[in-house]
Amino acid sequence: MHLFFLRARGCRAFYTSILMLVVSCGFSLAACGGGTAPSVSSNQDSNAPITVWVDADRITAVKLYEQAHPHAKINAVVVDRTQFPAKVLLENNIQSGWPDVVFAEPDLVAQVSDAAHNFPLDLTPYVSSSILANFAGEAACEFNGKVYCLRNDLAQNVLWYNVPLMQQFGYSVPTTWEEYQALGLRVAKEHPGYIIGEFGDAFSLDTYFWGSNCPVHQDEGNAKLLINLSDPNCTRMANLIDTLLPTGVLSRSGFFDAGMTKYGNENKILMMPGASWMGDGLFKGTFYKTSNHQLGAAAPLKWQADSQAYTGAIGGAAWAVSRHSKNINLAVDFVKWVTTSPDYLGHAANYPAYKPVADVWEATLASDPIYASNPYPVLQQAALELDPKWSYVRFDDRTIFGTTVVTPVLTGGGTVASKLAAYQQALEQLAQSQGYEVVNS
């Protein structure tokens, strides 16, 4: 393996640098076409090396593949994948330089799936239906019968909580958002200084609004998006945040910010709605100091009026193959292996999207002493409760959530509910600029 570093960043550092870009995971790419794409490269060479763009944490995947396939020729390039869409446009201009494989969030894959970028290969002819059927939910990034990427991991949200503190304070773990709000008000009065979540960055879009079945951009088919921030599923969550934020039980710092690290190090995080990777990625290790047998995981919160739980996701990534690759067979084989191999994902830090590997991964999770009990059953069920109406789109919904909602509320006051109209307007303009038809009901 040849290894090059452009802007080397680990997975966790990557999340730190693009708080406004990460999305969650597991659903269909909405209207990623936008025109008839040229055919894939016909100049194939089975001996050609492939270039794979990864983050630093995924170098292990490349090394393990090479150990299992010693004749494979792979150039691994560690990149800041937020540059992925822009770099593809540059490479299109000069008609060279494309990577063969990219590790990136599905929303970034969506952004390069239009006619202008013309990047991802439709994997449908190359990946068997039996493999696709074993991904959790719609974890293979599908659009109009085309598979644009295979998911590496899921980032389904659950309710993380501090087991000893909950017992010490005499609190029951909430199961509904109404109970969560009521408990938050109690914590503010009875144990000021402790927090039950955060509203400090654009991840809040995925934590709260995705988890509330809010139609931020629901795929209606035929390049049509339902965008309605005045829907009761949106306003109920805005009102919950507006009730809790002034009391101090929601941190005004993002997950990776110094303010949140301080809460974690002082053992002041009572609860935290957040992604499956946070057990290993935040509570364990360098961000929050967590004692052994302290961390618990509860099911995603639901509203009393809802017949089922909906959850969002924060992060989770996938592997896409370039339609310009000169060695498509090797590129596809690599992607299939790294998304289905227990030798790799069975011992990784994040919840595998491929269900047979997730069962192997349970042993890795169950043996971790940080957990008060094995969180796998909760994570497994939450993987099936990701809101299926939430779609990936060809525009960046999170940056504008930060600029129209989060930052104005945190710096200028006002309520989340009062900012939703501005977010609605910005979303509609972005969607229409990308060729979507927007409907409000």
Side-chain angles (χ1 to χ4, degrees):
M1 174 180 68
H2 301 286
L3 178 60
F4 302 93
F5 288 85
L6 296 185
R7 288 180 62 186
R9 296 186 180 185
C11 180
R12 300 179 187 115
F14 164 74
Y15 281 121
T16 308
S17 68
I18 61 162
L19 295 180
M20 300 302 182
L21 281 177
V22 175
V23 307
S24 157
C25 335
F27 306 112
S28 303
L29 301 181
C32 293
T36 302
S39 60
V40 299
S41 172
S42 59
N43 185 22
Q44 293 294 299
D45 179 359
S46 61
N47 294 316
I50 62 171
T51 296
V52 179
W53 284 4
V54 291
D55 62 7
D57 287 355
R58 250 49 62 168
I59 288 295
T60 300
V62 179
K63 291 181 177 178
L64 288 174
Y65 179 83
E66 289 182 319
Q67 290 175 13
H69 306 81
H71 299 296
K73 301 174 183 177
I74 300 178
N75 301 321
V77 184
V78 178
V79 301
D80 176 355
R81 59 187 178 268
T82 63
Q83 301 174 357
F84 174 32
K87 287 178 69 66
V88 167
L89 287 179
L90 292 175
E91 289 150 356
N92 288 349
N93 287 336
I94 62 175
Q95 288 294 294
S96 67
W98 302 281
D100 299 88
V101 175
V102 174
F103 179 80
E105 281 69 27
D107 65 327
L108 293 176
V109 177
Q111 292 177 34
V112 298
S113 298
D114 61 359
H117 291 81
N118 184 36
F119 180 81
L121 174 72
D122 176 15
L123 297 173
T124 306
Y126 303 93
V127 182
S128 69
S129 58
S130 61
I131 290 178
L132 295 177
N134 270 313
F135 282 92
E138 295 182 20
C141 316
E142 298 180 16
F143 166 67
N144 281 353
K146 297 179 180 180
V147 178
Y148 284 113
C149 55
L150 298 183
R151 290 298 299 274
N152 180 82
D153 60 286
L154 299 183
Q156 68 277 33
N157 290 340
V158 297
L159 181 64
W160 296 107
Y161 66 99
N162 187 312
V163 173
L165 280 180
M166 292 290 283
Q167 294 173 345
Q168 178 184 333
F169 295 164
Y171 295 146
S172 298
V173 178
T175 60
T176 67
W177 285 110
E178 289 89 349
E179 291 173 355
Y180 176 81
Q181 176 177 308
L183 182 56
L185 295 176
R186 285 188 61 188
V187 171
K189 292 180 179 179
E190 299 170 1
H191 300 282
Y194 288 83
I195 61 169
I196 65 167
E198 65 89 38
F199 186 81
D201 53 44
F203 282 142
S204 300
L205 177 65
D206 306 277
T207 302
Y208 300 109
F209 290 91
W210 189 347
S212 188
N213 193 224
C214 170
V216 174
H217 41 63
Q218 290 183 355
D219 183 10
E220 298 289 295
N222 297 319
K224 181 186 296 184
L225 293 179
L226 170 62
I227 302 176
N228 183 9
L229 275 296
S230 63
D231 186 281
N233 288 357
C234 306
T235 57
R236 65 184 179 180
M237 186 54 78
N239 291 334
L240 178 146
I241 298 169
D242 287 333
T243 298
L244 293 179
L245 191 61
T247 70
V249 294
L250 294 183
S251 168
R252 291 171 175 262
S253 298
F255 289 116
F256 296 97
D257 295 341
M260 277 298 298
T261 300
K262 186 173 186 292
Y263 281 116
N265 291 342
E266 294 179 354
N267 200 32
K268 293 293 183 67
I269 300 176
L270 183 63
M271 293 185 293
M272 180 77 75
S276 53
W277 55 262
M278 289 183 178
D280 185 270
L282 283 180
F283 289 98
K284 179 182 178 180
T286 58
F287 285 100
Y288 312 154
K289 293 180 180 178
T290 305
S291 301
N292 285 344
H293 312 298
Q294 175 176 311
L295 188 61
L301 297 167
K302 65 179 291 291
W303 292 95
Q304 291 178 357
D306 292 348
S307 60
Q308 68 178 82
Y310 295 99
T311 184
I314 302 173
W319 299 88
V321 175
S322 170
R323 65 188 302 114
H324 308 287
S325 175
K326 302 300 184 186
N327 194 347
I328 286 176
N329 286 337
L330 176 57
V332 170
D333 188 72
F334 171 81
V335 167
K336 287 196 293 186
W337 189 89
V338 295
T339 55
T340 64
S341 172
D343 292 337
Y344 166 50
L345 287 177
H347 308 284
N350 298 350
Y351 188 97
Y354 193 64
K355 289 184 287 187
V357 178
D359 293 337
V360 176
W361 180 77
E362 178 185 8
T364 300
L365 191 72
S367 63
D368 194 324
I370 192 176
Y371 299 108
S373 60
N374 183 5
Y376 181 74
V378 170
L379 300 180
Q380 184 182 39
Q381 180 60 34
L384 305 177
E385 295 174 343
L386 287 158
D387 180 4
K389 295 180 181 179
W390 190 278
S391 57
Y392 288 116
V393 289
R394 295 195 303 269
F395 54 87
D396 176 8
D397 58 344
R398 279 151 193 83
T399 295
I400 56 172
F401 183 76
T403 56
T404 61
V405 180
V406 178
T407 299
V409 168
L410 296 183
T411 61
T415 64
V416 174
S418 69
K419 310 300 181 185
L420 294 184
Y423 185 47
Q424 169 93 23
Q425 182 179 11
L427 281 174
E428 289 184 359
Q429 291 174 349
L430 274 177
Q432 290 165 352
S433 73
Q434 290 297 317
Y436 292 100
E437 176 187 354
V438 175
V439 296
N440 303 127
S441 62

